[in-house]
Amino acid sequence: MSSNKVLNIDGERISGQDVRNQNVTAVAAISNIVKTSLGPIGLDKMLVDNIGDVTITNDGATILKLLEVEHPAAKVLVQLADLQDQEVGDGTTSVVILAAELLKRANELVQRKIHPTVIISGYRIACTEAIKYINDCLSVKVETLPKDYIINIARTSMSSKIIGDDSEFFSKMVVEAMNRVKTIDYKGDVKYPINAVNILKAHGKSAKESVLVEGYALNCTVASEGMPKKITNAKIAFLDFNLQKTKMKLGQKVVVTNVNDLEAIRDRENDIVKERIQLILASGANVILTTKGIDDLCLKYFVEAGAMAVRRCKKEDLKRIAKACGGSVHVTLSNLEGEESFDPTTLGTCEEVVQERIADDELILVKNSNKKSASIILRGAGSVMLDEMERSIHDSLCIVKRTLESGSIVPGGGAVESGLSIYLDNFAATMGSRKQLAISEFAESLLIIPKQLAVNAALDATDLVAKLRSYHHVAQTDQTKKSYSYSGLDLYNGKVKNNIEAGVLEPSIAKIKCIKFATEAAITILRIDDMITLNPKEQQQDDGHGH
Amino acid sequence: MATTVKSRSDFSEREKEKDIRTSNIVAARSVADAIRTSLGPKGMDKMISSPTGEVIISNDGATILQKLELRHPAARMLAELAKAQDIEAGDGTTSVCVIAGALLGAVSTLMSKGIHPSIISEAFHQALQESLKVLVNMSVPVSLSDRQSLIKSATTSLNSKVVSQYTNLASISVDAVLSVINVAQNPDNVNLKDIKIIKKLGGTIDDTELVHGLVFDQNASHTAGGPTRIQNAKIGLIQFCLSAPKPYMDNNIVVSDYTKMDKVIKEEPKLILEMCRKIQKSGCNVLLVQKSILRDAVNELSLSYLAKLKILVIRDIEREDIEFICTTIGCTPIANIDAMTPEKLGKADLVEEVSTTDGKIVKITGIPNPGKTVTILARGSNKLVLDEAERSIHDALCVIRSLVKKKYLIAGGGAPEIEVSQQVTEFSKTLSGVPSVCIRAYAEALEIIPYTLAENAGLHPISIVTELRNKHAQGEKNAGINVRKGAITDILQENVVQPLLVSTSALTLATETVIMLLKIDDIATSR
């Protein structure tokens, strides 16, 4: 390239149409990878990384994250999927496909001599209009729906996943888990913390034998075989420090001058920790959970007292159990008088703590029927399948959370996209400038979602999408047939149906964010007309002088 | 360079000088050409992937040139030029390079006519003085209380950026600058360091907000389950450590008797408790702890005491932030526990931890005497957009600052450049001789700005520029390119305005750089 010779930089420079083509190709390649996994009849991908670890997944964000994409424009798309994953939790595949389609069509417009900035402003207008239309016309308030809508939402989100066949079973489980962890913060806002639902995986049995535990499942075992495996009416102490023989801090030394003193010092070492344990036990605690270790000596005291002690719990787990049982975690035993004490009010209570054997492993279940905690123990044929199940459950949890928090939903199955496409097409006709073209291309791009859904289901995409569009056209022109705007695809029967009635639902917020993020990403890439890649600097030779 | 060596042996010194100048001019012009496409509201972005693989997308001339790592010394001067404009005015970094490139183009034509560089540079200097006069005559005074005009100029600066569709950024920038002006002491300048920009991923740029208070990037300490929300906060900023003391020298405590072991072990909690009590006694309920590398600034023990005393703790405050924090909340840093007195504490209505998708942040709001500092919490959907948003906010802030420095506005959209070009051409007609030719060439070179604006907007540059000339010749001083409508209109009515300082500084810096490049007649590479 002559330009970088003149510019005299250490690298490569591509500009103008070349860079746009390159970006669009890179983005299209990414979208091609994930697009076959869209929708209920989408298929999974198997990814093998460089050390041979296998992941089988259907989740766009996970696929892209594992791909280790190099091209900078494609990286924008990977970030996009990641963002959708964080903000919504589902729809990661759709967002990537949509962004790639928007770019592809924009590039075609540029080749037809329309300036990119015109396309950008057209896309922006289209995006705002689309969101307005979703809010005004397509979304449905959850209050107007039958009670089981939330189960339908969960079912829609998992329909594309490995657990799709058992969606009935899992959607109930997800919704129940979410309802258990509902919290209300000081402002009176209702929150559904996803992290409060603990998901554990255990090999063996079939997926349908997964269970929802009313309480918290801990992936640990009791510290000593001599301890009871089951304690009812448990009082739990939560500790975040070691229970072991006292050690002197660095720089503190005990000098022994007399052999007899040795014994006394050893005793004292033991006594200090013994006193602590007795403080804890005296408060009435019969279950002790700690994030750190408990040494053999200390175990003895617990065994003698008939208490259950569990060491090396995860800190997050401990915090959540403490929250659920109404206790609090102790970092030290020191109190404000400078002495050591253990306040019985910081103990958590629950009905039963029991160690159970599931598959090969033993788990500790903190059972608690009325308090705010839930755990799901997944069962499955192998670790790869379990991982994918976990991701699917996580996606569904996110979707349920968004719906419960935002309170409005839209029909799924390509209904929103085709409705918007008709609306934007009509809207484009009202614009008397070049932006018209950009807006109608935007409208056209949205159709990629129903098209791809149909293609993945091995149906005639052209035919079905045309039918779908005609329904939406009627809905928008004929006031009496408003309910047609909820028409979406029924991929199992290859027909168009009312997806609100059929229970194929998605939260509106997911759709809105999907369109917003896809547009923003497309614009970011579209604005680039020059790409400069600087060569990596050569590693400085180590001159052997050290630093 | 083979030719240089050859000419040296030929003793044809003039040839060599010419070569050096040409090579410098070519290098510098190619830089200007490279960033030309990002000029103006319809300019495009550049994607640069750095040697380490980091990718940035930007439209800001100074940022692009800085990341390019140019090798040619003359090209580097242009990068420096953009940086200088960035420091001086904060905006117009692309324009300054484009102008310099055009001037260099004029220079090479003039030199090919056999005009000596020193004459050219003298004439350019004269032309610059004349241009500045024209610019000042064109400008309209603005008062800082005229918020609308300020927002207009901030909007003009943001127009070229990826964030341009978000109208909120302009008003945020204006409010931010206006609230930190110290009217009593220094009404003609603003310290942009008093405006802190904090970036957080997640949300869209619409969610960017101006906080009259403080925002901390880190979360409140959760280790011991302390509070995360405090109303009527009294904030203490400590620079000492709440942990067991550690002398500089190696030390050993020798315990000879087992009964004394207890005493040694109990000593640490006692000491820390005493410190925590003192903190509580001063009335402090929010504690900011400066980062310490020598030892733990806080340890689990002290955190648990503080949590029990219902004191919110924010750890790892950077040393360089201390001054900013102090001016904001009006506290004094406390270097020793004995100096912990109530009057050294800052006050705020609310200190609250807020969770975002990108981790938690702590917000301090409701500060009794606001106006000394503000924080802009920038949000964006991906890292690239967020970074660009930060750069854009910085540009907008600089534009407002330029208005504070020099309270005059000037039209945008290529209007000033065309006006200067015409007036300076008129002026050249009053002179005679070689300088007249040079000044005329200078005037023509300035037309590059409207030309490029039109080109980037997909308009026909020649017809636009000639129409523009025509309008200006008829006395319509403020006629400029309306990029949105693709036509020539009175640009002042379209609210496309920029600070006078940006234009004058761009012209001055560009001209001076060109003159400097002209004066070089030899490059010696030393090893």
Side-chain angles (χ1 to χ4, degrees):
Chain A
M1 252 149 276
S2 61
S3 60
N4 59 331
K5 246 177 227 154
V6 186
L7 199 55
N8 218 340
I9 50 166
D10 183 18
E12 232 183 288
R13 175 173 175 219
I14 318 167
S15 41
Q17 192 55 44
D18 288 342
V19 70
R20 268 191 289 272
N21 286 341
Q22 200 195 62
N23 284 344
V24 169
T25 320
V27 165
I30 292 286
S31 140
N32 281 339
I33 293 171
V34 293
K35 77 179 180 194
T36 51
S37 57
L38 181 76
I41 315 192
L43 293 174
D44 290 1
K45 308 272 165 234
M46 179 185 258
L47 302 143
V48 185
D49 71 5
N50 50 6
I51 50 164
D53 264 355
V54 178
T55 312
I56 296 179
T57 185
N58 179 290
D59 181 51
T62 315
I63 300 174
L64 293 184
K65 216 179 281 169
L66 291 171
L67 274 182
E68 290 181 20
V69 175
E70 288 272 327
H71 194 278
K75 264 192 199 153
V76 173
L77 234 62
V78 176
Q79 281 181 357
L80 171 72
D82 200 34
L83 181 77
Q84 176 83 5
D85 197 31
Q86 280 173 14
E87 294 256 317
V88 184
D90 197 16
T92 49
T93 315
S94 347
V95 76
V96 170
I97 295 177
L98 188 58
E101 184 69 12
L102 284 172
L103 269 177
K104 194 180 108 199
R105 291 189 178 267
N107 196 36
E108 279 164 14
L109 281 180
V110 175
Q111 277 160 1
R112 271 155 50 194
K113 301 282 172 237
I114 294 179
H115 200 272
T117 47
V118 177
I119 305 172
I120 289 171
S121 46
Y123 273 12
R124 271 189 190 135
I125 295 171
C127 178
T128 3
E129 276 302 315
I131 289 164
K132 218 163 57 192
Y133 189 72
I134 294 182
N135 282 333
D136 293 350
C137 302
L138 290 173
S139 55
V140 181
K141 286 271 158 233
V142 291
E143 291 85 36
T144 60
L145 290 168
K147 274 267 172 276
D148 62 344
Y149 79 91
I150 193 75
I151 293 183
N152 282 331
I153 291 230
R155 197 192 292 161
T156 310
S157 82
M158 56 179 78
S159 64
S160 61
K161 303 287 156 80
I162 194 166
I163 50 176
D165 297 334
D166 302 320
S167 59
E168 190 109 357
F169 173 76
F170 281 108
S171 51
K172 277 189 190 130
M173 184 187 271
V174 164
V175 172
E176 203 185 326
M178 246 13 226
N179 277 329
R180 282 184 67 85
V181 298
K182 176 178 171 182
T183 50
I184 296 170
D185 68 0
Y186 63 92
K187 285 184 213 140
D189 291 347
V190 183
K191 293 269 177 214
Y192 295 89
I194 298 273
N195 292 339
V197 180
N198 189 20
I199 302 176
L200 287 178
K201 296 169 279 187
H203 286 228
K205 294 204 180 172
S206 80
K208 262 211 146 159
E209 273 158 279
S210 305
V211 278
L212 175 72
V213 182
E214 297 185 331
Y216 210 90
L218 257 180
N219 204 357
C220 303
T221 54
V222 290
S224 156
E225 284 304 310
M227 290 177 180
K229 297 269 170 64
K230 181 172 178 176
I231 288 185
T232 40
N233 290 329
K235 286 197 169 135
I236 313 171
F238 306 99
L239 310 178
D240 188 13
F241 53 87
N242 272 319
L243 284 175
Q244 61 183 34
K245 274 191 239 173
T246 319
K247 269 190 204 149
M248 283 294 177
K249 285 225 164 128
L250 217 65
Q252 299 175 351
K253 232 182 216 169
V254 181
V255 177
V256 185
T257 44
N258 189 338
V259 186
N260 298 338
D261 282 355
L262 199 64
E263 197 58 32
I265 285 171
R266 197 181 292 154
D267 284 350
R268 190 61 209 138
E269 272 180 357
N270 294 348
D271 283 354
I272 290 174
V273 66
K274 187 179 166 190
E275 277 160 20
R276 282 194 186 156
I277 291 171
Q278 263 145 11
L279 273 176
I280 297 168
L281 289 173
S283 69
N286 49 16
V287 177
I288 290 94
L289 305 178
T290 175
T291 57
K292 302 265 170 71
I294 306 177
D295 71 3
D296 290 345
L297 176 88
C298 306
L299 284 178
K300 192 186 81 185
Y301 299 118
F302 289 119
V303 173
E304 278 168 6
M308 194 177 190
V310 182
R311 56 187 169 189
R312 311 266 173 227
C313 304
K314 269 194 224 142
K315 201 165 182 180
E316 298 86 61
D317 286 346
L318 204 66
K319 276 189 184 163
R320 279 191 210 116
I321 301 175
K323 219 175 186 180
C325 298
S328 58
V329 181
H330 287 263
V331 185
T332 74
L333 283 182
S334 317
N335 62 8
L336 291 175
E337 278 76 48
E339 301 291 324
E340 298 204 324
S341 69
F342 191 90
D343 185 359
T345 55
T346 59
L347 288 177
T349 54
C350 81
E351 282 145 25
E352 189 179 54
V353 178
V354 62
Q355 177 168 328
E356 271 183 18
R357 174 171 289 274
I358 289 177
D360 264 354
D361 299 321
E362 294 199 81
L363 299 177
I364 290 188
L365 304 179
V366 181
K367 289 193 178 165
N368 207 340
S369 62
N370 56 348
K371 303 264 179 57
K372 308 283 175 212
S373 65
S375 295
I376 294 173
I377 300 174
L378 294 174
R379 308 301 306 266
S383 60
V384 177
M385 177 170 170
L386 282 170
D387 285 346
E388 175 65 358
M389 281 169 70
E390 186 190 2
R391 277 190 290 271
S392 317
I393 294 283
H394 177 260
D395 280 10
S396 299
L397 286 172
C398 291
I399 286 296
V400 170
K401 167 192 158 97
R402 301 287 164 209
T403 320
L404 289 172
E405 282 176 6
S406 70
S408 90
I409 53 132
V410 288
V416 173
E417 287 82 3
S418 26
L420 280 178
S421 151
I422 297 280
Y423 171 75
L424 288 176
D425 242 353
N426 293 336
F427 174 75
T430 62
M431 300 281 288
S433 65
R434 291 170 181 213
K435 286 174 199 153
Q436 186 193 55
L437 291 170
I439 296 173
S440 56
E441 287 298 330
F442 190 97
E444 198 67 21
S445 305
L446 286 169
L447 286 180
I448 186 76
I449 301 283
K451 265 185 210 156
Q452 193 60 43
L453 282 175
V455 168
N456 286 353
L459 298 169
D460 186 342
T462 326
D463 202 31
L464 265 181
V465 172
K467 213 183 271 171
L468 191 58
R469 275 173 62 100
S470 75
Y471 270 86
H472 281 278
H473 180 73
V474 172
Q476 284 173 29
T477 45
D478 192 343
Q479 284 297 321
T480 56
K481 292 197 173 129
K482 268 232 134 111
S483 66
Y484 275 14
S485 63
Y486 303 138
S487 315
L489 296 174
D490 175 356
L491 294 173
Y492 294 98
N493 303 319
K495 279 191 298 206
V496 174
K497 65 174 178 192
N498 184 331
N499 267 346
I500 294 258
E501 280 166 16
V504 180
L505 308 170
E506 286 176 73
S508 337
I509 187 94
K511 267 278 131 43
I512 290 173
K513 291 219 159 150
C514 170
I515 292 174
K516 237 186 189 170
F517 290 155
T519 316
E520 205 162 292
I523 288 175
T524 312
I525 297 176
L526 197 58
R527 278 180 60 101
I528 300 166
D529 79 331
D530 216 327
M531 185 160 75
I532 296 153
T533 321
L534 297 174
N535 293 338
K537 284 211 184 72
E538 273 174 42
Q539 288 284 310
Q540 292 245 316
Q541 296 278 313
D542 198 355
D543 50 5
H545 292 306
H547 297 284
Chain B
M1 254 176 260
T3 48
T4 326
V5 177
K6 196 175 143 223
S7 57
R8 195 158 286 205
S9 55
D10 284 351
F11 292 100
S12 55
E13 284 288 311
R14 279 202 63 84
E15 270 304 304
K16 192 189 88 189
E17 278 172 24
K18 218 172 179 182
D19 264 359
I20 296 290
R21 283 205 190 89
T22 325
S23 129
N24 281 348
I25 287 173
V26 167
R29 282 189 71 187
S30 66
V31 170
D33 276 344
I35 58 166
R36 248 186 76 184
T37 50
S38 33
L39 182 79
K42 299 267 164 161
M44 306 292 276
D45 291 358
K46 310 256 174 258
M47 179 183 252
I48 300 166
S49 110
S50 73
T52 49
E54 184 202 6
V55 177
I56 66 154
I57 297 179
S58 183
N59 171 291
D60 182 53
T63 315
I64 299 171
L65 290 181
Q66 194 196 343
K67 296 278 169 187
L68 272 186
E69 298 184 14
L70 297 158
R71 279 186 300 198
H72 196 288
R76 275 207 195 147
M77 279 177 68
L78 238 65
E80 294 278 310
L81 168 67
K83 209 169 147 197
Q85 172 79 1
D86 195 34
I87 294 166
E88 180 66 24
D91 195 20
T93 50
T94 315
S95 327
V96 75
C97 290
V98 172
I99 293 177
L103 289 179
L104 284 172
V107 165
S108 59
T109 339
L110 291 174
M111 284 202 328
S112 67
K113 286 180 187 160
I115 302 176
H116 194 272
S118 63
I119 298 181
I120 303 180
S121 66
E122 238 169 70
F124 273 19
H125 198 73
Q126 208 178 352
L128 172 67
Q129 299 308 325
E130 197 59 31
S131 316
L132 293 181
K133 265 186 235 159
V134 179
L135 283 178
V136 172
N137 280 338
M138 269 184 86
S139 61
V140 257
V142 65
S143 129
L144 287 183
S145 53
D146 184 2
R147 194 161 167 268
Q148 280 311 317
S149 301
L150 297 183
I151 290 183
K152 274 183 219 162
S153 52
T155 314
T156 311
S157 140
L158 288 173
N159 255 337
S160 60
K161 312 288 176 189
V162 70
V163 294
S164 61
Q165 84 274 27
Y166 302 103
T167 44
N168 58 344
L169 290 188
S171 52
I172 284 179
S173 313
V174 172
D175 289 343
V177 175
L178 289 186
S179 49
V180 298
I181 295 181
N182 190 339
V183 185
Q185 285 176 10
N186 196 355
D188 289 331
N189 204 348
V190 177
N191 189 357
L192 286 187
K193 282 199 184 124
D194 290 340
I195 301 172
K196 196 162 143 191
I197 304 176
I198 286 193
K199 298 181 283 183
K200 270 282 161 188
L201 269 182
T204 53
I205 292 166
D206 273 327
D207 302 325
T208 300
E209 57 178 324
L210 181 68
V211 182
H212 286 279
L214 270 179
V215 177
F216 287 104
D217 219 353
Q218 58 262 65
N219 54 8
S221 168
H222 287 280
T223 318
T228 55
R229 181 188 149 90
I230 293 218
Q231 268 173 324
N232 292 327
K234 292 206 174 69
I235 306 161
L237 176 61
I238 60 168
Q239 295 180 305
F240 54 87
C241 300
L242 287 174
S243 57
K246 196 168 107 188
Y248 284 109
M249 273 180 284
D250 275 348
N251 67 321
N252 273 324
I253 300 167
V254 177
V255 184
S256 55
D257 189 357
Y258 72 88
T259 45
K260 284 183 186 151
M261 275 164 63
D262 278 342
K263 201 177 168 226
V264 172
I265 291 169
K266 291 235 171 86
E267 205 53 40
E268 185 190 344
K270 236 185 226 166
L271 195 97
I272 292 174
L273 181 64
E274 204 176 305
M275 297 208 317
C276 295
R277 283 282 187 202
K278 274 185 188 158
I279 291 171
Q280 189 206 19
K281 213 176 263 172
S282 71
C284 164
N285 53 14
V286 175
L287 196 64
L288 313 176
V289 186
Q290 186 185 317
K291 203 179 211 169
S292 165
I293 43 168
L294 282 175
R295 42 188 254 232
D296 299 336
V298 280
N299 63 7
E300 291 189 338
L301 198 62
S302 51
L303 282 176
S304 86
Y305 283 136
L306 291 171
K308 280 192 184 126
L309 296 169
K310 300 265 171 284
I311 296 175
L312 189 151
V313 183
I314 303 172
R315 293 199 269 185
D316 293 346
I317 305 285
E318 296 289 343
R319 183 181 280 273
E320 52 260 38
D321 290 342
I322 298 274
E323 199 192 333
F324 183 83
I325 295 170
C326 290
T327 39
T328 312
I329 51 180
C331 64
T332 324
I334 303 159
N336 189 299
I337 183 72
D338 294 323
M340 190 97 194
T341 46
E343 62 272 11
K344 287 191 175 161
L345 302 179
K347 285 197 186 85
D349 287 349
L350 182 66
V351 176
E352 183 183 22
E353 187 181 76
V354 188
S355 35
T356 67
T357 44
D358 187 30
K360 289 177 174 161
I361 52 170
V362 179
K363 260 192 202 174
I364 299 183
T365 45
I367 290 158
N369 321 304
K372 282 178 188 138
T373 62
V374 287
T375 306
I376 295 174
L377 181 61
R379 309 292 304 271
S381 60
N382 65 49
K383 203 178 151 288
L384 298 172
V385 169
L386 192 57
D387 288 348
E388 182 66 1
E390 189 200 5
R391 284 190 286 270
S392 312
I393 293 175
H394 174 255
D395 278 11
L397 291 176
C398 288
V399 164
I400 309 292
R401 182 183 62 175
S402 319
L403 280 178
V404 176
K405 278 187 189 165
K406 233 182 188 181
K407 297 180 181 62
Y408 288 97
L409 276 177
I410 197 166
E417 284 80 9
I418 278 286
E419 183 66 19
V420 167
S421 163
Q422 294 211 328
Q423 304 245 8
V424 173
T425 314
E426 283 305 308
F427 168 72
S428 75
K429 287 178 190 160
T430 64
L431 303 172
S432 63
V434 180
S436 168
V437 178
C438 297
I439 291 175
R440 200 186 172 120
Y442 182 93
E444 268 167 25
L446 289 182
E447 283 182 1
I448 186 76
I449 295 280
Y451 189 91
T452 312
L453 273 180
E455 202 176 65
N456 286 350
L459 305 170
H460 196 280
I462 293 179
S463 65
I464 289 283
V465 170
T466 45
E467 193 187 338
L468 204 54
R469 272 193 211 149
N470 181 7
K471 285 267 166 72
H472 276 263
Q474 287 166 17
E476 288 182 38
K477 261 189 186 179
N478 293 323
I481 305 172
N482 186 336
V483 177
R484 285 221 183 76
K485 291 186 186 149
I488 308 279
T489 49
D490 186 338
I491 212 77
L492 272 189
Q493 282 174 3
E494 298 288 336
N495 298 333
V496 181
V497 285
Q498 54 184 359
L500 176 64
L501 187 70
V502 171
S503 293
T504 51
S505 127
L507 263 187
T508 322
L509 290 172
T511 314
E512 278 173 7
T513 307
V514 168
I515 291 176
M516 193 155 82
L517 270 175
L518 264 181
K519 289 198 169 155
I520 301 171
D521 71 345
D522 201 352
I523 298 180
T525 355
S526 59
R527 292 263 164 218

